[in-house]
Amino acid sequence: MPLRFKIPINYDLDLDSTLDGGQSFNWRSGNDGVWLGLIENLPVKLSIDKIQSGSVVKAEYKLSPAQVDLDRLKLYLDLDTPYEAIRNRLNSDSNLKSVIKSIPKFNILNQDPWQTLVSFILSTQSNIPRIKRNLEDISIFGKNLVTAFGLPFYKFPNPHELAAMGENKLRALGLGYRAKNLGTVASLISENSFNIKIVSAMSYDDAKQYLMTLPGVGPKVADCVLAFSMGHTSAFPVDRWVSRGVKRMYSSTLKYSDPDISNWGREKFGDDAAYVQQMIFYYERWVRGRD
DNA sequence: TCCCAGGGGAGTT
DNA sequence: AACTCCCATGGG
């Protein structure tokens, strides 16, 4: 018995760029703007209807009502944040105004911290198709299969399960040098040497410092985890695309290091920093493309 | 073949 | 603090 929800919101929301725009790597698109994935390990089918006053988010589960956490779905998609007000605010910046005009209207996700940490540990010196494949291979190797909508879904391994795979198996899956960091991080968390459950409640500075004690987690990976799974919208993750975009739009002559640009973004945009960062990333990566 | 990919970390100056 | 180099690997 399918369980269907319709959630109206008073702004436009584009699912393609939200679920497949570099924040998340585990959604697959079906036909007609339909997306299939797991939220809290529950298979769900998502789509959007445009209406006069904004959008209607449609979600379908193959579950009993007791199993579904509608609030978690709304938090995952960040539906209660006033995105129209954010965009209006940022339009006062002439650089951002032209960016906003040419990119889809996406939200910033609140994903599972553990899965997001793994995703961005795997992202270093990699590319989005490969990150997706690595995560899928890890999930398939975990062998925790559920079937919904006539399709297989592999639940993401928990820290204990991932630690049990071991560095050698992870390396055999094609993770490269990242296998060592990931294996170590999984072990640290599964044996309670690192408590990822408390990070969400920490301040930005404390959480970032704590995350960066993990191998394979530097300032950029930590900022992505903070922004895309812990609601720290004051984070400003800087990769080569964001670095390139900021330099091009705001200071073509001066040269800044990545940490300099991250601090600049945090000071300039405050609690809008993560939104701005993702806008610049999306624009630079997919609209403007390579030089 | 060379270059790049949502970087991090160790070593050197 | 800033600057190299290397870490594996697949794809263009």
Side-chain angles (χ1 to χ4, degrees):
Chain A
M1 179 68 83
L3 202 56
R4 292 190 175 89
F5 298 97
K6 292 187 176 182
I7 309 165
I9 53 177
N10 61 0
Y11 56 90
D12 292 336
L13 175 58
D14 177 72
L15 274 187
D16 294 14
S17 54
T18 299
L19 299 175
D20 195 23
Q23 300 183 65
S24 166
F25 307 94
N26 61 331
W27 288 89
R28 6 175 203 179
S29 58
N31 301 323
D32 303 328
V34 172
W35 288 85
L36 292 159
L38 297 165
I39 297 177
E40 298 297 308
N41 277 327
L42 301 180
V44 59
K45 179 191 286 188
L46 298 176
S47 59
I48 298 276
D49 279 350
K50 285 202 67 172
I51 57 174
Q52 191 72 19
S53 59
S55 314
V56 174
V57 179
K58 297 196 294 184
E60 180 179 337
Y61 291 87
K62 295 282 190 182
L63 295 161
S64 70
Q67 292 175 273
V68 174
D69 186 344
L70 192 56
D71 286 338
R72 182 63 185 99
L73 169 70
K74 292 164 73 174
L75 178 64
Y76 184 98
L77 294 171
D78 204 33
L79 298 182
D80 290 337
T81 293
Y83 278 89
E84 199 55 39
I86 293 171
R87 279 187 278 269
N88 288 339
R89 191 151 75 220
L90 296 175
N91 268 329
S92 63
D93 183 307
S94 61
N95 290 117
L96 292 180
K97 183 166 187 160
S98 61
V99 168
I100 290 170
K101 197 165 53 183
S102 58
I103 61 175
K105 294 180 175 178
F106 49 77
N107 281 10
I108 298 296
L109 299 172
N110 295 108
Q111 302 174 78
D112 173 66
W114 156 247
Q115 184 168 352
T116 308
L117 175 63
V118 173
S119 301
F120 283 96
I121 285 175
L122 294 183
S123 75
T124 66
Q125 281 299 103
S126 190
N127 54 71
I128 290 175
R130 187 181 174 192
I131 299 166
K132 289 180 183 176
R133 193 177 62 247
N134 287 160
L135 288 167
E136 184 180 11
D137 287 344
I138 289 172
S139 299
I140 291 173
F141 190 77
K143 296 178 181 172
N144 201 339
L145 173 67
V146 290
T147 301
F149 311 109
L151 294 170
F153 292 79
Y154 288 90
K155 295 182 182 179
F156 194 72
N158 63 35
H160 178 73
E161 291 166 334
L162 196 53
M165 292 181 191
E167 175 187 339
N168 290 337
K169 287 282 174 51
L170 293 173
R171 192 175 285 267
L173 291 176
L175 307 195
Y177 66 90
R178 306 162 197 86
K180 181 180 177 65
N181 291 332
L182 187 53
T184 302
V185 167
S187 296
L188 288 170
I189 293 176
S190 71
E191 67 198 18
N192 289 323
S193 297
F194 184 95
N195 187 350
I196 195 172
K197 295 187 187 304
I198 65 172
V199 184
S200 297
M202 292 177 162
S203 70
Y204 170 83
D205 289 318
D206 288 348
K208 186 171 182 177
Q209 186 178 8
Y210 187 46
L211 285 170
M212 286 174 61
T213 63
L214 294 171
V217 180
K220 192 272 177 183
V221 169
D223 276 332
C224 283
V225 173
L226 291 166
F228 304 145
S229 74
M230 297 182 180
H232 278 288
T233 60
S234 72
F236 197 80
V238 177
D239 71 333
R240 50 190 90 220
W241 297 102
V242 173
S243 171
R244 187 182 308 180
V246 168
K247 288 172 182 170
R248 187 175 54 76
M249 288 189 287
Y250 291 96
S251 69
S252 55
T253 58
L254 299 177
K255 293 183 69 174
Y256 294 109
S257 69
D258 288 355
D260 288 338
I261 294 173
S262 183
N263 290 328
W264 170 88
R266 284 172 49 74
E267 290 181 13
K268 183 171 181 63
F269 301 113
D271 286 338
D272 292 335
Y275 306 120
V276 174
Q277 182 276 157
Q278 188 62 13
M279 288 172 177
I280 294 175
F281 173 78
Y282 192 98
Y283 178 76
E284 204 69 21
R285 175 70 180 79
W286 282 296
V287 179
R288 194 161 185 281
R290 319 191 168 176
D291 297 329

